[in-house]
Amino acid sequence: MKDITVDSNPSEAQLKKMGVEHWPTWEKEVSVFPWSFVTTEVAYIVEGECVMTPNDGGPATTFKAGDLVVFPNGYKGTWEVKKALKKRFKHKDGNFVKCAFSRYKILKNRIKAAL
């Protein structure tokens, strides 16, 4: 299984180029739950702190507010939300419906911001 990657210091220019401000948001209270990624998800952590532990026994990955995180398609593990999470996200490379819906939300947010 591919590893999660974390960029703990993405530049404002990089985030702007990626269009992060238009990505939809997702929030989760402190909790522990299993998850399987059916797309590659790129997420910018706005608030919170989490630990993701893979099912295959590999090392856990910690990420927090200000981090840019890539969850690879096919990753299976357990979320441990240590501090309430708010993230902006984008889906790519995977489940067609989920990816298309992600693109639709981003487009909708871009149009809304332009008005």
Side-chain angles (χ1 to χ4, degrees), residues 43-75:
Y44 179 70
I45 310 303
V46 178
E47 299 172 4
E49 182 180 334
C50 300
V51 176
M52 195 74 182
T53 304
N55 289 349
D56 68 2
T61 303
T62 300
F63 47 93
K64 62 189 179 329
D67 289 344
L68 185 64
V69 185
V70 178
F71 302 97
N73 187 0
Y75 185 96

Side-chain angles (χ1 to χ4, degrees), residues 3 13-15 17 27 34-37 43 51 56-57 70 72-74 85 90 100 105 108 110 114:
D3 292 335
Q14 178 186 6
L15 297 174
K17 184 178 178 182
E27 298 182 42
W35 195 258
S36 296
F37 287 88
V51 176
D56 68 2
V70 178
N73 187 0
L85 175 68
K90 176 174 131 176
K105 286 181 183 178
K108 182 178 163 187
R110 284 183 184 276

